[in-house]
Amino acid sequence: MTESVLVVPGDGIGQEVVPAAVDVLSDVADLEFFHAEAGDHVKRETGEALPEETYRRASEADATLFGAAGETAADVILPLREAVGSFANVRPARAYPGVDALRPETDLVFVRENTEGVYSGIESEVAEGVTTLTRVVTEEASRRIAEYGFEYAAENGYDDVTIAHKANVMRTTDGQFLDAAKTVAGERGADYEEALMDALAMHLLLRPEEYGVVICPNLAGDMLSDLAAGLVGGLGLLPSANVGAENALFEPVHGSAPDIAGQGVANPAATVLSGAMLLEHLGYDAEAAAVRGAVEGVLAEGPRTPDLGGDASTEDVTAAIRERL
Ligand code: NAI
Ligand code: MG
């Protein structure tokens, strides 16, 4: 069976790095690619950043590869994550030989609850100058993210699983998150450590090598994974997955980078590595490993784009990755 992959480059460097990743994926797997539009440029033309057609096709495709949107990012990526029924946001942060990293020993994967918490969207101004936010935490979503995190750790050879929380303060909501995750660990007979998310931020910075998979509530996962991005040497290297029960969306962590868009110098690594996660999701494990190996080889030996201190173009780096494949 040929899987269908929806490709949504979006704005700015999305238009440069997504085609590069599609070329790499085409080299290793027999996928059927469909293209759709979204982002600032679509809003300028039609008044809407995310056409209904793109939403529908993302919900139907086996997987979606997204680049980045600009100003309209929230109007595009939040509905697209919803279109694929995404409940888990998976963000690996790994340091690579050859790339100048603050903590070269970092190999972390954040498994972030992607549907609720303080991102529930339930905010109000209850009186002039007084605003509130409702933090929603359900047992169902907490169990689901914990199950996904423990399974991910087992499948990908990570021994250390940490449950991040702040249940000493948010006793009811994070209490539930923590209890659900501990129950899942107990059912699986899995080892884990629990960590208060603020202290964890410091420990990740000082001793990242002691951690592997970190299961997080929504906001904590957003912040801790950005912190980890800083440990490994930059946005141009970080892939991510938004996983749903049936389909999924893959995207680099970075945005549309208007400061370098159109110059042909964007680092394609984050998007190509997102493509490797997509391959794995569709069951192409060997192909995913090959793509990762090729990216690692190029990061170690060059050519490198300017964000990594080189002077190569997106095209040069993509060609070097494909040559290694
Ligand atoms: P950004 O990630 O676009 O750029 C931050 C810095 O990192 C810039 O200096 C940029 O040149 C550099 N950078 C990012 N990716 C790179 C790559 N692949 N190669 C080389 N350098 C790279 O974040 P920023 O500047 O905060 O936002 C720019 C636009 O992107 C905004 O309009 C924002 O709304 C949007 N954005 C969209 C996201 C999405 O669609 N998921 C995520 C983050 C931002
Ligand atoms: Mg963020």
Side-chain angles (χ1 to χ4, degrees):
M1 192 189 94
T2 306
E3 288 88 356
S4 66
V5 176
L6 183 71
V7 176
V8 187
D11 297 310
I13 62 168
Q15 296 283 347
E16 302 165 42
V17 292
V18 169
V22 169
D23 284 345
V24 172
L25 295 186
S26 306
D27 288 342
V28 295
D30 185 21
L31 303 169
E32 195 174 358
F33 293 101
F34 297 91
H35 289 259
E37 295 291 335
D40 298 0
H41 69 287
V42 180
K43 186 167 185 178
R44 276 196 297 276
E45 279 167 30
T46 68
E48 260 197 274
L50 181 65
E52 245 179 72
E53 168 83 357
T54 304
Y55 181 95
R56 184 181 59 75
R57 290 171 78 181
S59 68
E60 288 169 3
D62 293 311
T64 295
L65 183 65
F66 176 68
E71 299 295 309
T72 57
D75 303 329
V76 172
I77 191 62
L78 299 180
L80 277 181
R81 286 175 186 159
E82 181 199 287
V84 304
S86 154
F87 62 86
N89 183 208
V90 183
R91 293 187 176 185
R94 276 185 64 190
Y96 294 96
V99 177
D100 192 21
L102 196 59
R103 293 282 175 207
E105 58 282 29
T106 306
D107 182 359
L108 296 164
V109 182
F110 294 87
V111 175
R112 165 191 170 200
E113 202 290 317
N114 211 13
T115 64
E116 53 184 34
V118 291
Y119 290 177
S120 62
I122 310 169
E123 286 193 290
S124 39
E125 182 168 9
V126 290
E128 171 97 32
V130 183
T131 51
T132 62
L133 160 67
T134 301
R135 181 170 201 256
V136 178
V137 177
T138 64
E139 184 182 6
E140 190 189 350
S142 304
R143 277 194 64 98
R144 195 170 48 178
I145 196 66
E147 273 161 7
Y148 189 87
F150 280 107
E151 186 64 27
Y152 184 98
E155 272 180 15
N156 293 279
Y158 286 93
D159 296 330
D160 299 305
V161 178
T162 304
I163 304 166
H165 67 92
K166 189 79 180 170
N168 57 336
V169 179
M170 296 182 279
R171 292 195 185 118
T172 307
T173 50
D174 261 9
Q176 165 140 274
F177 183 84
L178 179 60
D179 284 347
K182 283 163 76 167
T183 303
V184 167
E187 287 165 4
R188 300 179 58 100
D191 287 335
Y192 66 93
E193 187 184 306
E194 51 174 281
L196 293 170
M197 56 177 80
D198 48 351
L200 180 60
M202 181 187 71
H203 290 304
L204 288 173
L205 185 65
L206 295 176
R207 289 187 296 279
E209 70 281 6
E210 291 179 8
Y211 297 88
V213 170
V214 186
I215 299 171
C216 310
N218 203 338
L219 172 63
D222 198 5
M223 298 184 62
L224 293 173
S225 62
D226 272 24
L227 178 131
L231 300 179
V232 300
L235 278 172
L237 298 176
L238 291 158
S240 76
N242 296 278
V243 180
E246 277 158 33
N247 50 12
L249 179 144
F250 302 83
E251 52 171 335
V253 170
H254 64 70
S256 61
D259 54 336
I260 58 165
Q263 297 173 22
V265 295
N267 189 344
T271 310
V272 174
L273 291 169
S274 301
M277 295 179 85
L278 182 152
L279 287 172
E280 219 159 43
H281 181 76
L282 296 179
Y284 294 94
D285 290 0
E287 291 81 357
V291 168
R292 257 186 221 116
V295 171
E296 281 166 25
V298 171
L299 290 173
E301 289 170 28
R304 296 190 187 94
T305 42
D307 56 306
L308 300 180
D311 59 6
S313 66
T314 308
E315 225 169 273
D316 297 335
V317 172
T318 308
I321 293 169
R322 297 179 73 185
E323 208 163 292
R324 281 178 180 266
L325 278 174

